[in-house]
DNA sequence: GATTGACATGTCGAAAATGACACGTAGAGT
DNA sequence: ACTCTACGTGTCATTTTCGACATGTCAATC
């Protein structure tokens, strides 16, 4: 049940609409690396948060667009979730990683084919993230921009790690193939 | 809907009981980094797979323990899931990473507190994984052991990446604190 | 011989997520 | 004027997952 906290966290940096939140959770760095959700989950959850007084409606914009902002109660809830909760084992779903774990059941040639695909994918993704991060250079700006910058940095690093691991795995699997 | 594939993948390396599968998906490397599930999801899913003929019952052991093995149909299903499906954006839930993304909403001191906790956690985890990996040295053994080895290697590398990223993030946040 | 703890499998109701469908709007290009 | 695309919000039925509860076994320790 982390979706409400994801929404509170995004709204804590700056007010956004349900549409923008959905975009971030469906395609943005947060959705890709942390918590993916479609708009069909986001809108009902926003209404729940509204009911609990954790967010507030900031009136309507152009096409029925409604912008939400976090309230003080929302901030308190978010802070206690981040600070008081233990770090312990928690919810985890990562389909790409699952695929990679299961790769060893394929014969080495097939596994290598898939690993190459994985490498292409993380390369593309890392390039996108670098573009998103580019305007700020090497230092994290304070405020809302810093948020995205730190997230993007995380993505780039994880992608790089996956890439190297995949290459290592290819090498290991190749050895099995060449020396049966 | 990746749980069935996770189970098929584990059973593809060697036959296991529902209990063992549950353990792996709840606490093992697969559960931690790829797809977490409790026994209450595993047992019903095993019966579903049994009904579809993707796994087979290998008779009873000591305390009502029943061991399952993957069938040829199961292997075909697993292979096509791994090979035919696109790598594209897929299911993703990662509560620890979500927490880290949201850290920037805390004041720097609080954020640093949590980041230190995160570092402790990944250090502990990485140490466990290294222990699990230790018996095999630096080379991946063929067969079922190789599976666990490659998974553990992935875990160690990701933990290391998270660690370095967290340190980097602390540094960045510290700058904001010292130069307001 | 009793107790404890890991082993082992399940059900069931509540909560959450997914996918399909539905509807309307503003702007940009042709 | 027309069309296309992205914007923008929602419902609803189905599927998945979670947490609580239930039940019993085997081995080791006290």
């Amino acid at each position: 049940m982390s979706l409400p906290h994801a929404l509170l966290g995004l709204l804590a940096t700056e007010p956004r609409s349900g549409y923008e939140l959905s975009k971030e959770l469906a395609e943005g760095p947060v959705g890709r690396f942390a918590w993916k959700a479609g708009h069909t989950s986001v809108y009902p959850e926003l209404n729940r948060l509204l009911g609990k007084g954790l967010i507030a409606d900031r009136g309507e914009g152009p096409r029925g667009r409604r912008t939400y902002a976090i309230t003080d109660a929302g901030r308190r809830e978010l802070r206690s979730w981040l600070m008081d909760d233990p770090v312990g084992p928690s919810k985890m779903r990562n389909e790409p990683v699952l695929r990679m774990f299961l790769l060893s059941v394929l014969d080495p040639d097939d596994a290598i084919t898939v690993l190459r695909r994985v490498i292409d994918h993380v390369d593309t993704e890392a390039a996108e993230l670098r573009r998103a991060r580019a305007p700020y250079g090497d230092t994290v700006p304070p405020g809302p921009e810093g948020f995205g910058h730190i997230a993007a940095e995380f993505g780039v690093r994880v992608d790089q790690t996956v890439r190297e691991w995949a290459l290592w795995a290819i090498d290991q699997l190749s050895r099995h193939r060449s020396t049966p």
Side-chain angles (χ1 to χ4, degrees), chain A residues 19-105:
Chain A
Y19 186 79
E20 286 172 312
L21 291 165
S22 300
K23 266 285 157 78
E24 179 59 36
L25 290 178
E27 303 160 36
V30 176
R32 284 217 259 244
F33 296 104
W35 202 271
K36 186 169 178 173
H39 76 279
T40 57
S41 305
V42 170
Y43 289 119
E45 186 61 45
L46 284 172
N47 287 323
R48 245 168 281 160
L49 291 170
L50 211 48
K52 286 184 188 168
L54 301 179
I55 62 175
D57 195 325
R58 280 260 195 270
E60 283 203 18
R63 336 166 191 208
R65 171 201 181 94
R66 262 171 301 113
T67 304
Y68 299 97
I70 195 168
T71 63
D72 286 345
R75 250 175 235 285
R76 278 195 298 276
E77 164 59 31
L78 182 59
R79 185 182 186 278
S80 84
W81 182 70
L82 285 169
M83 297 294 292
D84 303 344
D85 255 24
V87 181
S90 32
K91 283 143 201 169
M92 176 61 76
R93 296 284 151 76
N94 192 324
E95 203 178 276
V97 168
L98 176 62
R99 281 167 188 280
M100 293 189 291
F101 276 24
L102 302 187
L103 237 47
S104 57
V105 311

Side-chain angles (χ1 to χ4, degrees), chain A residues 33 122 125-126 129-130 133 138 149-165:
Chain A
F33 296 104
V122 297
E125 186 167 82
L129 288 168
R130 284 205 190 84
R133 202 185 45 168
D138 271 351
H149 192 278
I150 290 180
E153 176 70 26
F154 180 85
V156 169
R157 291 182 183 223
V158 168
D159 277 345
Q160 181 64 19
T161 300
V162 169
R163 183 182 213 286
E164 280 161 17
W165 173 83

